[in-house]
């Protein structure tokens, strides 16, 4: 989500500083990059890209970088600034990007500048129409979306670069004092918001209309029909569905499509970019009068809106009519407003058989809010219902003193080894910096982690079962702490390695400076401990850690939460001489062939299915999987829209994925269908999603990983698809017995008979996952 992916580091640290509150007398220089090598800006606060860029360097008053992808960003952090009260009127900076390009400027603001206040919210503005030359841009401190508090500004982020893989630069970042900016007052290329916000007015809808404020009440007996509330990045860009369960996509034509906070930001790559959302032959006649949605775009932005309809539902004969934003009397000034159009302004449209809405000819980036059909002739807005996260149990446990000997695991004095002389290090993609015996961790990917080992074999930690893991930190505690368990051979050449781990939510066990976790809260075999792992980071805020150690007691008065159920994380079958084919969803066009191969080979299989496609009657998944379930195959869960669930911003979003997936399974297979087995999308695991799985699924659910990976994601569409077979053989030789594969690609499906042949050749018996886990509720082996 955008607020997670683009957020600047150090935003929580502003609470420890004195807010800038005096009336300004001159511009406030935030960064001219003279302190770049020290890792700070001119205010001695951190800046950077958290490793999100392909390359980045600073010189001559500017930072020069190459964005890697749509997740790349650059941030500036600083003490809380009461910008409005202090007289600052605008943000000014130099920028150079490809001609015609655009970017998003994020303004981070807090509720107030009190030191006790935590957190911030993100608001956005669009800078578009760059000339290709270095130019000065002035963005007024007005017109940002999401109602920012201009008297509590804590950070800036530049992101959503419309072109990646090419060089950009930003320089001389300044808060402008007074109503007239110092230096150039007009941007030489980008189109920016106006300096005064236009107040919304009630208007009567003419044949084509733009409106700032309309009633949200619905006529009696009718409610707005939601087309898309932009609930989920993965639903839109991974599965290509809207809220109607119909297709929605840009077909890869946009530079980026970013979903955040029930909004979508579309950044065109060129004038050929487009985006569409289908209705499914909708009859709006005599019920829905038109379509409304909020739009935010820079002054001068334009695009075309096309409506399409069928001559007969189910036919391929589609008719269209198009209106430009000029023809709709729509204009933009950088502020977010509600816009609508009556269906009748699209000449000849048949409202009984509506097919889709299509946006094209975009001159720059746009942000859309929830889009819906409104009832009757009075335009109204769809308002996203507020969601309250479920309460988390707050039971506490006693904290007895242990007789275990205390010892330091990591003091971060060496980049390669910890205090025990054992390895520590991070996955690729995590930014880790060392300085003054402190390591700073930043990540915009919940799938990467940091490891610090107790041993390279097996450490017997039973004597420390009553002790505590202590982590001394500052900054964010939005991550999980895992304790890892070795396999029964204590051999890292044997699969799986690690055999499992248990993840606990750092924030539940934390104060502002310390984390204390009872060792006995980690549900692993303590005779085979490997070490500790920091994982599942769900914010880009930095975490600064100075010490990881085992201690015999916690501070007086420390309140220790109870251990929450977190399920069983498994990577291998436990039944002797068993082997399980566990297949994730794929491409509908290959589904029948996969089913035919499995039936011909007469092997039981577990299918991990994504809930939303399962409910799509057009792809035939439901019928195929019901047939396979009737033949004795296992159907298991794989989320509703396939996001990295631990990376979701809040518990409500995680629950939405789980509960919708449970609902889809029960809707298709019946209310009594077991929902005990779950494979996390991308294998991304963390404490919050584990805890919510246990809470929503009940009992002790299985989180199913793998010890045999065919690496279809890597090789299937390469010039060497046979390497999928090599990967299968490699993991088979290590003792792996639990497979992950997808039927996304023709080459993978073609190799499935060979995978089965190799598995049978091990002499192990092929069976369902629940059977190979010796689940007493699994069907008996034949």
């Amino acid at each position: 989500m955008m607020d997670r992916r683009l957020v600047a580091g150090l935003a929580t640290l502003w609470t420890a500083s004195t807010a800038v509150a005096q009336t300004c007398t001159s511009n406030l220089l935030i960064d001219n990059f003279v302190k770049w090598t020290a890792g700070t800006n001119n205010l001695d606060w951190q800046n950077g890209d958290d490793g999100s860029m392909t390359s980045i360097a600073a010189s001559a008053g500017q930072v020069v970088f190459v964005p890697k992808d749509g997740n790349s960003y650059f941030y500036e952090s600083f003490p809380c600034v009461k910008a409005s009260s202090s007289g600052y009127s605008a943000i000014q900076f130099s920028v150079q990007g490809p001609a015609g390009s655009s970017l998003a400027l994020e303004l981070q603001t807090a509720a107030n500048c009190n030191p006790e206040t935590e957190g911030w919210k993100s608001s956005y503005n669009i800078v578009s129409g760059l000339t290709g030359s270095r130019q000065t841009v002035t963005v007024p401190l007005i017109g940002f979306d999401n109602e920012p508090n201009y008297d509590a500004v804590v950070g800036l982020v530049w992101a959503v670069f419309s072109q990646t893989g090419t060089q950009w630069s930003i320089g001389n970042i300044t808060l402008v004092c007074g109503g007239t900016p110092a230096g150039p007052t007009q941007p030489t290329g980008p189109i920016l918001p106006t300096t005064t916000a236009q107040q919304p007015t009630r208007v009567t809808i003419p044949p084509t209309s733009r409106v700032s404020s309309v009633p949200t009440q619905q006529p009696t007996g009718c409610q707005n029909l939601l087309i898309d509330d932009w609930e989920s990045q993965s639903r839109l860009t991974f599965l290509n569905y809207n809220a109607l369960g119909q297709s929605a996509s840009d077909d890869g034509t946009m530079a980026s499509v970013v979903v955040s906070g029930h909004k979508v930001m579309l950044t065109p790559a060129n004038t050929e970019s487009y985006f569409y959302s289908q209705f499914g032959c909708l009859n709006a006649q005599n019920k829905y009068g038109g379509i409304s949605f909020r739009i935010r775009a820079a002054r001068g932005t334009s695009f075309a809106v096309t409506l399409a309809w069928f001559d007969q539902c189910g036919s391929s004969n589609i008719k269209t009519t198009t209106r430009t934003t000029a023809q709709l009397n729509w204009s933009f000034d950088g502020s977010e407003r509600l816009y609508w159009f009556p269906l009748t302004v699209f000449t000849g449209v048949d409202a009984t058989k509506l097919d889709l809405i299509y946006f094209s000819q975009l001159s720059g980036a746009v942000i859309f809010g929830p889009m819906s059909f409104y009832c009757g002739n009075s335009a109204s807005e769809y308002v996203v219902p507020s969601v309250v996260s479920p309460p988390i149990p707050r039971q506490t446990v006693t904290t007895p003193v242990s007789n275990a000997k205390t010892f330091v695991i990591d003091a971060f004095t060496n980049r390669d080894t910890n205090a025990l002389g054992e390895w520590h290090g991070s996955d690729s993609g995590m930014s880790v910096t060392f300085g003054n015996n402190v390591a700073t961790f930043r990540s915009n990917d919940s799938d990467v982690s940091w490891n610090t080992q107790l041993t390279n074999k097996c450490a017997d930690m039973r004597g420390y079962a009553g002790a505590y893991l202590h982590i001394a930190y500052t900054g964010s505690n939005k991550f999980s702490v895992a304790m890892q368990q070795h396999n029964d051979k204590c051999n890292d050449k044997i699969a799986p390695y690690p055999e499992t781990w248990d993840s606990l939510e750092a924030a539940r066990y934390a104060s502002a400076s310390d984390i204390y976790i009872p060792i006995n809260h980690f549900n692993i075999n303590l005779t085979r401990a490997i070490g500790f792992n920091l994982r599942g980071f769900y914010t880009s805020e930095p975490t600064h850690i100075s010490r990881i150690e085992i201690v015999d007691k916690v501070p007086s008065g420390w309140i220790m939460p109870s251990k929450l159920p977190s399920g069983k994380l498994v990577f291998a079958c436990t039944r002797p001489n068993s082997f399980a084919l566990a297949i994730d969803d794929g491409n509908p066009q290959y589904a029948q062939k996969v089913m035919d191969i499995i039936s011909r080979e007469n092997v039981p299989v577990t299918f991990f299915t994504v809930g939303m496609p399962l409910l799509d009657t057009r792809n035939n998944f439901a019928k195929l999987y019901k047939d396979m379930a009737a033949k004795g195959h296992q159907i298991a869960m794989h989320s509703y829209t396939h996001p990295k669930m631990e990376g979701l911003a809040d518990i409500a979003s995680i629950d939405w994925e789980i509960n919708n997936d449970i609902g889809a399974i029960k809707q298709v297979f019946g209310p009594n269908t077991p929902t005990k087995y779950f494979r996390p999308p991308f294998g991304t695991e963390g404490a919050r999603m584990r805890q919510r799985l246990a809470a929503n699924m009940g009992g002790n659910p299985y989180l199913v990983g793998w010890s045999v990976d065919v690496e279809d994601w890597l090789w299937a569409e390469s010039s060497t698809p046979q390497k999928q077979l090599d990967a299968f053989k490699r993991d088979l030789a290590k003792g792996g017995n639990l497979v992950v594969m997808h039927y996304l690609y023709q080459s993978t499906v073609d190799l499935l008979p060979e995978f089965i042949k190799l598995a049978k050749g091990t002499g192990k018996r092929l069976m369902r996952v629940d059977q190979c886990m010796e689940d007493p509720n699994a069907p008996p082996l034949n």
Side-chain angles (χ1 to χ4, degrees), residues 619-639:
N619 60 33
N620 207 36
F621 275 148
K623 181 182 183 302
L624 286 170
Y625 283 138
K626 287 174 74 174
D627 289 346
M628 298 307 286
K631 293 177 181 178
H633 300 282
Q634 181 185 8
I635 307 299
M637 295 171 54
H638 196 36
S639 81

PDB file of all heavy atoms in Angstrom, residues 619-639:
ATOM      1  N   ASN A 619     -14.046 -18.252 -14.774  1.00  0.00           N
ATOM      2  CA  ASN A 619     -12.803 -19.004 -14.953  1.00  0.00           C
ATOM      3  C   ASN A 619     -12.944 -20.497 -14.657  1.00  0.00           C
ATOM      4  O   ASN A 619     -11.986 -21.252 -14.819  1.00  0.00           O
ATOM      5  CB  ASN A 619     -11.684 -18.409 -14.087  1.00  0.00           C
ATOM      6  CG  ASN A 619     -12.016 -18.421 -12.603  1.00  0.00           C
ATOM      7  OD1 ASN A 619     -12.697 -19.309 -12.115  1.00  0.00           O
ATOM      8  ND2 ASN A 619     -11.515 -17.423 -11.870  1.00  0.00           N
ATOM      9  N   ASN A 620     -14.109 -20.920 -14.166  1.00  0.00           N
ATOM     10  CA  ASN A 620     -14.411 -22.340 -13.953  1.00  0.00           C
ATOM     11  C   ASN A 620     -13.637 -22.969 -12.804  1.00  0.00           C
ATOM     12  O   ASN A 620     -13.648 -24.187 -12.616  1.00  0.00           O
ATOM     13  CB  ASN A 620     -14.156 -23.156 -15.233  1.00  0.00           C
ATOM     14  CG  ASN A 620     -15.020 -24.396 -15.310  1.00  0.00           C
ATOM     15  OD1 ASN A 620     -16.172 -24.380 -14.877  1.00  0.00           O
ATOM     16  ND2 ASN A 620     -14.481 -25.470 -15.860  1.00  0.00           N
ATOM     17  N   PHE A 621     -12.912 -22.141 -12.003  1.00  0.00           N
ATOM     18  CA  PHE A 621     -12.158 -22.693 -10.873  1.00  0.00           C
ATOM     19  C   PHE A 621     -13.068 -23.450  -9.906  1.00  0.00           C
ATOM     20  O   PHE A 621     -12.732 -24.535  -9.434  1.00  0.00           O
ATOM     21  CB  PHE A 621     -11.446 -21.571 -10.106  1.00  0.00           C
ATOM     22  CG  PHE A 621     -10.101 -21.193 -10.671  1.00  0.00           C
ATOM     23  CD1 PHE A 621      -9.649 -19.882 -10.582  1.00  0.00           C
ATOM     24  CD2 PHE A 621      -9.286 -22.131 -11.266  1.00  0.00           C
ATOM     25  CE1 PHE A 621      -8.414 -19.519 -11.089  1.00  0.00           C
ATOM     26  CE2 PHE A 621      -8.045 -21.786 -11.781  1.00  0.00           C
ATOM     27  CZ  PHE A 621      -7.612 -20.472 -11.689  1.00  0.00           C
ATOM     28  N   ALA A 622     -14.214 -22.858  -9.585  1.00  0.00           N
ATOM     29  CA  ALA A 622     -15.088 -23.467  -8.578  1.00  0.00           C
ATOM     30  C   ALA A 622     -15.518 -24.870  -8.995  1.00  0.00           C
ATOM     31  O   ALA A 622     -15.465 -25.813  -8.192  1.00  0.00           O
ATOM     32  CB  ALA A 622     -16.303 -22.581  -8.336  1.00  0.00           C
ATOM     33  N   LYS A 623     -15.922 -25.011 -10.232  1.00  0.00           N
ATOM     34  CA  LYS A 623     -16.365 -26.331 -10.695  1.00  0.00           C
ATOM     35  C   LYS A 623     -15.213 -27.333 -10.688  1.00  0.00           C
ATOM     36  O   LYS A 623     -15.363 -28.481 -10.229  1.00  0.00           O
ATOM     37  CB  LYS A 623     -16.951 -26.235 -12.112  1.00  0.00           C
ATOM     38  CG  LYS A 623     -17.461 -27.572 -12.653  1.00  0.00           C
ATOM     39  CD  LYS A 623     -17.988 -27.428 -14.056  1.00  0.00           C
ATOM     40  CE  LYS A 623     -18.555 -28.752 -14.545  1.00  0.00           C
ATOM     41  NZ  LYS A 623     -17.567 -29.844 -14.509  1.00  0.00           N
ATOM     42  N   LEU A 624     -14.054 -26.917 -11.174  1.00  0.00           N
ATOM     43  CA  LEU A 624     -12.908 -27.815 -11.226  1.00  0.00           C
ATOM     44  C   LEU A 624     -12.489 -28.258  -9.828  1.00  0.00           C
ATOM     45  O   LEU A 624     -12.249 -29.447  -9.582  1.00  0.00           O
ATOM     46  CB  LEU A 624     -11.728 -27.133 -11.928  1.00  0.00           C
ATOM     47  CG  LEU A 624     -11.834 -26.976 -13.441  1.00  0.00           C
ATOM     48  CD1 LEU A 624     -10.724 -26.072 -13.966  1.00  0.00           C
ATOM     49  CD2 LEU A 624     -11.763 -28.328 -14.131  1.00  0.00           C
ATOM     50  N   TYR A 625     -12.414 -27.304  -8.902  1.00  0.00           N
ATOM     51  CA  TYR A 625     -11.978 -27.649  -7.552  1.00  0.00           C
ATOM     52  C   TYR A 625     -13.035 -28.476  -6.813  1.00  0.00           C
ATOM     53  O   TYR A 625     -12.699 -29.342  -6.003  1.00  0.00           O
ATOM     54  CB  TYR A 625     -11.632 -26.381  -6.762  1.00  0.00           C
ATOM     55  CG  TYR A 625     -10.282 -25.795  -7.128  1.00  0.00           C
ATOM     56  CD1 TYR A 625     -10.107 -24.427  -7.287  1.00  0.00           C
ATOM     57  CD2 TYR A 625      -9.181 -26.613  -7.308  1.00  0.00           C
ATOM     58  CE1 TYR A 625      -8.869 -23.880  -7.610  1.00  0.00           C
ATOM     59  CE2 TYR A 625      -7.941 -26.082  -7.635  1.00  0.00           C
ATOM     60  CZ  TYR A 625      -7.784 -24.717  -7.786  1.00  0.00           C
ATOM     61  OH  TYR A 625      -6.559 -24.204  -8.108  1.00  0.00           O
ATOM     62  N   LYS A 626     -14.307 -28.219  -7.068  1.00  0.00           N
ATOM     63  CA  LYS A 626     -15.355 -29.049  -6.458  1.00  0.00           C
ATOM     64  C   LYS A 626     -15.249 -30.478  -6.965  1.00  0.00           C
ATOM     65  O   LYS A 626     -15.413 -31.436  -6.196  1.00  0.00           O
ATOM     66  CB  LYS A 626     -16.737 -28.466  -6.758  1.00  0.00           C
ATOM     67  CG  LYS A 626     -17.039 -27.204  -5.967  1.00  0.00           C
ATOM     68  CD  LYS A 626     -18.342 -26.565  -6.383  1.00  0.00           C
ATOM     69  CE  LYS A 626     -19.541 -27.334  -5.875  1.00  0.00           C
ATOM     70  NZ  LYS A 626     -20.811 -26.626  -6.167  1.00  0.00           N
ATOM     71  N   ASP A 627     -14.944 -30.626  -8.248  1.00  0.00           N
ATOM     72  CA  ASP A 627     -14.750 -31.978  -8.804  1.00  0.00           C
ATOM     73  C   ASP A 627     -13.558 -32.655  -8.144  1.00  0.00           C
ATOM     74  O   ASP A 627     -13.615 -33.843  -7.795  1.00  0.00           O
ATOM     75  CB  ASP A 627     -14.535 -31.905 -10.318  1.00  0.00           C
ATOM     76  CG  ASP A 627     -15.794 -31.526 -11.077  1.00  0.00           C
ATOM     77  OD1 ASP A 627     -16.888 -31.586 -10.473  1.00  0.00           O
ATOM     78  OD2 ASP A 627     -15.687 -31.161 -12.258  1.00  0.00           O
ATOM     79  N   MET A 628     -12.468 -31.909  -7.966  1.00  0.00           N
ATOM     80  CA  MET A 628     -11.274 -32.505  -7.364  1.00  0.00           C
ATOM     81  C   MET A 628     -11.512 -32.841  -5.897  1.00  0.00           C
ATOM     82  O   MET A 628     -11.049 -33.872  -5.395  1.00  0.00           O
ATOM     83  CB  MET A 628     -10.077 -31.564  -7.506  1.00  0.00           C
ATOM     84  CG  MET A 628      -9.686 -31.261  -8.951  1.00  0.00           C
ATOM     85  SD  MET A 628      -9.427 -32.744  -9.970  1.00  0.00           S
ATOM     86  CE  MET A 628      -7.845 -33.314  -9.352  1.00  0.00           C
ATOM     87  N   ALA A 629     -12.231 -31.978  -5.182  1.00  0.00           N
ATOM     88  CA  ALA A 629     -12.561 -32.272  -3.786  1.00  0.00           C
ATOM     89  C   ALA A 629     -13.407 -33.537  -3.690  1.00  0.00           C
ATOM     90  O   ALA A 629     -13.214 -34.367  -2.783  1.00  0.00           O
ATOM     91  CB  ALA A 629     -13.290 -31.090  -3.163  1.00  0.00           C
ATOM     92  N   ALA A 630     -14.331 -33.700  -4.632  1.00  0.00           N
ATOM     93  CA  ALA A 630     -15.178 -34.896  -4.632  1.00  0.00           C
ATOM     94  C   ALA A 630     -14.361 -36.158  -4.885  1.00  0.00           C
ATOM     95  O   ALA A 630     -14.755 -37.261  -4.462  1.00  0.00           O
ATOM     96  CB  ALA A 630     -16.272 -34.751  -5.688  1.00  0.00           C
ATOM     97  N   LYS A 631     -13.219 -36.006  -5.552  1.00  0.00           N
ATOM     98  CA  LYS A 631     -12.346 -37.156  -5.837  1.00  0.00           C
ATOM     99  C   LYS A 631     -11.344 -37.404  -4.707  1.00  0.00           C
ATOM    100  O   LYS A 631     -10.474 -38.269  -4.838  1.00  0.00           O
ATOM    101  CB  LYS A 631     -11.607 -36.931  -7.152  1.00  0.00           C
ATOM    102  CG  LYS A 631     -12.526 -36.919  -8.374  1.00  0.00           C
ATOM    103  CD  LYS A 631     -11.749 -36.609  -9.649  1.00  0.00           C
ATOM    104  CE  LYS A 631     -12.677 -36.581 -10.860  1.00  0.00           C
ATOM    105  NZ  LYS A 631     -11.957 -36.231 -12.118  1.00  0.00           N
ATOM    106  N   GLY A 632     -11.417 -36.619  -3.630  1.00  0.00           N
ATOM    107  CA  GLY A 632     -10.575 -36.870  -2.470  1.00  0.00           C
ATOM    108  C   GLY A 632      -9.393 -35.960  -2.309  1.00  0.00           C
ATOM    109  O   GLY A 632      -8.586 -36.149  -1.391  1.00  0.00           O
ATOM    110  N   HIS A 633      -9.265 -34.960  -3.165  1.00  0.00           N
ATOM    111  CA  HIS A 633      -8.157 -34.022  -3.030  1.00  0.00           C
ATOM    112  C   HIS A 633      -8.502 -32.952  -1.990  1.00  0.00           C
ATOM    113  O   HIS A 633      -9.670 -32.668  -1.732  1.00  0.00           O
ATOM    114  CB  HIS A 633      -7.844 -33.374  -4.374  1.00  0.00           C
ATOM    115  CG  HIS A 633      -7.453 -34.364  -5.435  1.00  0.00           C
ATOM    116  ND1 HIS A 633      -6.197 -34.923  -5.501  1.00  0.00           N
ATOM    117  CD2 HIS A 633      -8.166 -34.914  -6.452  1.00  0.00           C
ATOM    118  CE1 HIS A 633      -6.144 -35.766  -6.530  1.00  0.00           C
ATOM    119  NE2 HIS A 633      -7.333 -35.786  -7.111  1.00  0.00           N
ATOM    120  N   GLN A 634      -7.464 -32.382  -1.398  1.00  0.00           N
ATOM    121  CA  GLN A 634      -7.654 -31.392  -0.344  1.00  0.00           C
ATOM    122  C   GLN A 634      -7.694 -29.982  -0.935  1.00  0.00           C
ATOM    123  O   GLN A 634      -6.878 -29.627  -1.794  1.00  0.00           O
ATOM    124  CB  GLN A 634      -6.517 -31.475   0.684  1.00  0.00           C
ATOM    125  CG  GLN A 634      -6.653 -30.496   1.843  1.00  0.00           C
ATOM    126  CD  GLN A 634      -5.449 -30.525   2.786  1.00  0.00           C
ATOM    127  OE1 GLN A 634      -4.437 -31.173   2.491  1.00  0.00           O
ATOM    128  NE2 GLN A 634      -5.544 -29.828   3.906  1.00  0.00           N
ATOM    129  N   ILE A 635      -8.647 -29.168  -0.453  1.00  0.00           N
ATOM    130  CA  ILE A 635      -8.728 -27.760  -0.820  1.00  0.00           C
ATOM    131  C   ILE A 635      -8.343 -26.937   0.403  1.00  0.00           C
ATOM    132  O   ILE A 635      -8.916 -27.112   1.488  1.00  0.00           O
ATOM    133  CB  ILE A 635     -10.148 -27.376  -1.293  1.00  0.00           C
ATOM    134  CG1 ILE A 635     -10.623 -28.326  -2.405  1.00  0.00           C
ATOM    135  CG2 ILE A 635     -10.173 -25.933  -1.765  1.00  0.00           C
ATOM    136  CD1 ILE A 635      -9.765 -28.329  -3.651  1.00  0.00           C
ATOM    137  N   ALA A 636      -7.386 -26.048   0.243  1.00  0.00           N
ATOM    138  CA  ALA A 636      -6.883 -25.255   1.368  1.00  0.00           C
ATOM    139  C   ALA A 636      -6.822 -23.783   0.974  1.00  0.00           C
ATOM    140  O   ALA A 636      -7.018 -23.417  -0.189  1.00  0.00           O
ATOM    141  CB  ALA A 636      -5.514 -25.767   1.802  1.00  0.00           C
ATOM    142  N   MET A 637      -6.530 -22.932   1.931  1.00  0.00           N
ATOM    143  CA  MET A 637      -6.631 -21.480   1.762  1.00  0.00           C
ATOM    144  C   MET A 637      -5.301 -20.844   1.340  1.00  0.00           C
ATOM    145  O   MET A 637      -4.237 -21.303   1.721  1.00  0.00           O
ATOM    146  CB  MET A 637      -7.115 -20.839   3.066  1.00  0.00           C
ATOM    147  CG  MET A 637      -8.525 -21.235   3.468  1.00  0.00           C
ATOM    148  SD  MET A 637      -8.945 -20.664   5.137  1.00  0.00           S
ATOM    149  CE  MET A 637      -8.592 -18.909   5.000  1.00  0.00           C
ATOM    150  N   HIS A 638      -5.447 -19.744   0.588  1.00  0.00           N
ATOM    151  CA  HIS A 638      -4.258 -19.043   0.096  1.00  0.00           C
ATOM    152  C   HIS A 638      -4.493 -17.527   0.060  1.00  0.00           C
ATOM    153  O   HIS A 638      -3.909 -16.847  -0.785  1.00  0.00           O
ATOM    154  CB  HIS A 638      -3.906 -19.577  -1.296  1.00  0.00           C
ATOM    155  CG  HIS A 638      -2.531 -19.241  -1.777  1.00  0.00           C
ATOM    156  ND1 HIS A 638      -1.422 -19.184  -0.958  1.00  0.00           N
ATOM    157  CD2 HIS A 638      -2.067 -18.930  -3.033  1.00  0.00           C
ATOM    158  CE1 HIS A 638      -0.356 -18.870  -1.672  1.00  0.00           C
ATOM    159  NE2 HIS A 638      -0.722 -18.695  -2.927  1.00  0.00           N
ATOM    160  N   SER A 639      -5.371 -17.020   0.958  1.00  0.00           N
ATOM    161  CA  SER A 639      -5.756 -15.606   1.069  1.00  0.00           C
ATOM    162  C   SER A 639      -6.867 -15.293   0.065  1.00  0.00           C
ATOM    163  O   SER A 639      -7.226 -16.116  -0.779  1.00  0.00           O
ATOM    164  CB  SER A 639      -4.576 -14.644   0.879  1.00  0.00           C
ATOM    165  OG  SER A 639      -4.285 -14.436  -0.477  1.00  0.00           O
TER     166      SER A 639
END
